[in-house]
Amino acid sequence: MDRDSCYSVVSFSSLPTSSDCIVFAMDDTGVGFYIDFIRRGEVHWRSHIFHHTGITRHHSLTPQFFMTGIFFCVDLYCGTVGVFSAKDNSWKVLEKPHELDFGGITPGFLVECGGDLLIVKLEEFHWKPIRIFRLNFSEMKREEVKSLGEHVLFISHTSCASAVAPDSYMNNKIYFPRLYLNEGGIVFYSLETHSYRSRGGEHAANNLSGTEGWFRNCTWIQPNMAMSTAEELDWLKPPF
């Protein structure tokens, strides 16, 4: 890679200490995008340029999700799904699931939850402030999700994660890097009540009024309490 890059999105296929870890990055070129990736044990990045991507607004692509050797990304203004295969360095846009015209200027997010790939879309003019769709690749269609069950989602512009909720209070909710004003606490959305609320507060609303703006540099991190060996932390060491 012989250019200076300021990536718009970066993702890992697995923990950086894993022998099969791949770091994947995308950078908008204006008419297409660069895709760069590097595998554990490699010294140099592999770089590819795609001009005819089948996606009109590259700046609206989500952080990617890796599954079975393929990186998925979604244009969250129209729902187009793009896939890049690290096996043969190919890019394509899936004909199905068909595009969803989300419209508006509100953001959307891509997150893995319980083995499913979910699109979380904030809505401006809908009776549900948030809509969730599961990408069903076996039948190549989208399915609206009405409940997360025992799971909880953590959403931001830099990372998205899911987990089994540690208690009943947190399940079936989506947490955001936003705070209510006047020390009202962190903002979450309840799929049960279809409203934004705050933990420990009395707030309840069907929009984000009364909250501070997005903290765009905030990232959700899943803690890993396992101790890594010096060998595992040596990225240039060939896969073991």
Side-chain angles (χ1 to χ4, degrees):
M1 184 171 58
D2 56 358
R3 58 185 173 81
D4 294 329
S5 294
C6 181
Y7 295 119
S8 54
V9 284
V10 178
S11 61
F12 293 76
S13 65
S14 56
L15 290 174
T17 53
S18 300
S19 61
D20 60 351
C21 180
I22 302 175
V23 183
F24 178 90
M26 296 180 71
D27 184 21
D28 191 356
T29 69
V31 295
F33 45 69
Y34 297 102
I35 291 182
D36 299 329
F37 69 95
I38 187 170
R39 301 176 187 272
R40 167 120 190 192
E42 294 180 341
V43 177
H44 302 291
W45 288 78
R46 307 182 195 191
S47 184
H48 304 275
I49 302 176
F50 296 93
H51 296 298
H52 304 290
T53 63
I55 292 178
T56 56
R57 286 175 284 188
H58 305 107
H59 64 276
S60 63
L61 287 173
T62 63
Q64 304 83 28
F65 172 73
F66 181 82
M67 183 170 61
T68 62
I70 295 176
F71 285 90
F72 292 84
C73 57
V74 178
D75 181 336
L76 288 171
Y77 287 95
C78 68
T80 306
V81 180
V83 296
F84 175 80
S85 173
K87 297 177 181 178
D88 58 10
N89 305 328
S90 65
W91 165 267
K92 67 178 180 179
V93 169
L94 300 183
E95 295 182 7
K96 295 182 179 181
H98 294 295
E99 292 185 359
L100 273 176
D101 185 11
F102 290 122
I105 59 173
T106 53
F109 305 90
L110 189 69
V111 59
E112 183 273 336
C113 180
D116 291 327
L117 195 55
L118 305 181
I119 295 176
V120 179
K121 186 66 173 68
L122 278 63
E123 298 283 5
E124 283 185 298
F125 308 108
H126 196 273
W127 71 274
K128 289 182 182 179
I130 289 181
R131 300 174 73 191
I132 302 176
F133 296 88
R134 180 172 76 93
L135 298 178
N136 184 337
F137 291 107
S138 62
E139 300 182 20
M140 298 304 288
K141 64 180 182 180
R142 293 183 177 87
E143 301 168 339
E144 188 159 6
V145 175
K146 301 185 183 301
S147 173
L148 296 172
E150 63 179 357
H151 285 89
V152 56
L153 303 184
F154 300 91
I155 299 297
S156 77
H157 288 281
T158 56
S159 68
C160 298
S162 68
V164 175
D167 54 53
S168 59
Y169 182 89
M170 291 186 67
N171 65 18
N172 206 24
K173 294 179 175 65
I174 305 172
Y175 283 78
F176 297 92
R178 296 181 75 112
L179 298 174
Y180 273 99
L181 300 176
N182 302 318
E183 300 182 356
I186 192 169
V187 176
F188 67 81
Y189 177 81
S190 169
L191 274 76
E192 181 179 357
T193 63
H194 304 298
S195 63
Y196 291 99
R197 309 180 73 90
S198 68
R199 182 152 191 159
E202 300 298 326
H203 302 282
N206 60 2
N207 56 49
L208 289 168
S209 62
T211 69
E212 298 186 50
W214 288 94
F215 295 97
R216 292 185 176 272
N217 292 327
C218 290
T219 296
W220 298 106
I221 298 175
Q222 293 177 288
N224 179 11
M225 305 307 293
M227 296 293 293
S228 299
T229 65
E231 188 176 58
E232 290 174 325
L233 294 174
D234 184 359
W235 174 268
L236 296 180
K237 184 177 178 62
F240 38 86

